[in-house]
């Protein structure tokens, strides 16, 4: 079975450019999460969706970040304009439903470098 | 601000030794999960503990949830090089009729052959 799929795996861009990260959750999962991981701050939840609806975006750093989930099989995280401090590994995860007892399945991540 | 503190941040030990890593908070969690992450990959769930005082074993790994559901420990017996990785704990806090998941920064474990 295919797990969570993320693309691209690596992205190098220049400051000011728009960056779009993509995620395909596991089929049948109803909840989708976007995380950012850095050495300094660890794994931070940016936003999560239940049944394609954004539930909690309090972790989104600022207006430069936006996320969409147009259907159950696809989500995007967009950064516009990008800044060097956005450099991190971005993970997408999905679960059968949102809740503390539900295992989150993580994708392999997108390593973003903003020069 | 709810914080999950993990200790130690880094641990390097010889194969065959035992070790314990900790996850602590001032907040009460409805449940707590442990994940392991290997380089270039996403975290993978190891265990979920729910009841205060609960102990779960996964081969050489023993997980314990504190009686007050504010802390947890992971004990590894006879560590092997395959145990190397980043161990993350994640606590669930009930808030606004929903569970909010908070991750610790992790313990980076390196087992020397």
């Amino acid at each position: 079975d295919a797990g969570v799929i993320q693309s691209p795996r690596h992205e190098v861009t220049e400051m000011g450019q728009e960056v779009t990260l993509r995620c395909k959750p596991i089929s049948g999962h109803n909840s989708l999460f976007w995380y950012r991981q850095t050495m300094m701050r660890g794994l931070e939840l940016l936003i999560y969706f239940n049944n394609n609806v954004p539930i909690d975006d309090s972790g989104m750093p600022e207006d430069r970040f936006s996320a969409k989930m147009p259907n159950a099989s696809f989500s995007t995280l967009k950064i516009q304009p990008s800044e060097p401090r956005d450099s991190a590994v971005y993970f997408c995860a999905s679960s059968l439903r949102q809740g503390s007892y539900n295992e989150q399945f993580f994708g392999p991540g997108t390593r973003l470098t903003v020069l | 601000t709810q914080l999950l503190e993990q200790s130690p941040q880094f641990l390097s030990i010889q194969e065959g030794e035992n070790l314990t890593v900790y996850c602590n908070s001032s907040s009460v969690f409805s449940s707590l999960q442990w994940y392991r992450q290997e380089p270039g990959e996403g975290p993978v769930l190891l265990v979920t503990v729910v009841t205060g005082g609960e102990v779960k074993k996964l081969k050489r790994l023993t997980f314990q949830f504190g009686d007050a559901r504010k802390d947890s420990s992971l004990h590894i017996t006879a560590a092997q090089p395959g145990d190397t990785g980043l161990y993350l704990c994640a606590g669930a806090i009930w808030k606004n009729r929903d569970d909010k998941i908070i991750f610790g920064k992790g313990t980076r474990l390196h087992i020397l052959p």
Side-chain angles (χ1 to χ4, degrees), chain B residues 4-17:
Chain B
L4 258 178
E5 295 189 5
Q6 292 192 243
S7 61
Q9 282 186 280
F10 303 94
L11 185 59
S12 183
I13 63 171
Q14 290 292 138
E15 180 178 1
E17 293 185 4

Side-chain angles (χ1 to χ4, degrees), chain A residues 2-3 24-30 72-73 94 96:
Chain A
K24 177 178 170 56
I26 292 174
S27 177
H29 281 188
N30 296 322
S73 60
S94 71
L96 196 57

Side-chain angles (χ1 to χ4, degrees), chain A:
Chain A
D1 288 341
V4 174
I5 299 173
Q6 291 187 249
S7 64
R9 290 296 309 274
H10 302 272
E11 177 81 29
V12 180
T13 191
E14 293 188 343
M15 181 175 64
Q17 296 297 305
E18 178 179 296
V19 174
T20 299
L21 311 181
R22 296 172 176 79
C23 175
K24 177 178 170 56
I26 292 174
S27 177
H29 281 188
N30 296 322
S31 296
L32 183 140
F33 308 80
W34 280 102
Y35 290 90
R36 177 173 67 178
Q37 187 175 41
T38 61
M39 286 292 291
M40 287 294 294
R41 300 176 68 91
L43 194 65
E44 301 174 279
L45 177 65
L46 300 177
I47 185 172
Y48 76 87
F49 295 83
N50 271 357
N51 297 315
N52 313 339
V53 177
I55 301 300
D56 183 356
D57 65 353
S58 59
M60 295 286 260
E62 47 197 274
D63 292 346
R64 298 184 296 106
F65 286 69
S66 62
K68 293 182 179 179
M69 192 165 185
N71 56 62
S73 60
F74 184 65
S75 177
T76 59
L77 177 68
K78 186 176 293 186
I79 308 173
Q80 166 64 20
S82 58
E83 296 182 5
R85 61 191 166 124
D86 300 331
S87 297
V89 181
Y90 290 80
F91 287 101
C92 175
S94 71
S95 69
L96 196 57
R97 62 182 184 274
Q98 200 282 332
S100 59
Y101 308 105
N102 292 284
E103 177 178 1
Q104 292 187 34
F105 293 82
F106 284 78
T110 295
R111 182 173 294 277
L112 174 64
T113 303
V114 183
L115 303 174

Side-chain angles (χ1 to χ4, degrees), chain B residues 4 41 44 46 49 70 78 80 82-83 85 89 95 110:
Chain B
L4 258 178
E41 299 180 9
V44 176
L46 296 174
V49 286
K70 294 182 178 182
Q80 298 179 0
D83 296 328
C89 65
K95 181 180 179 183
H110 185 59

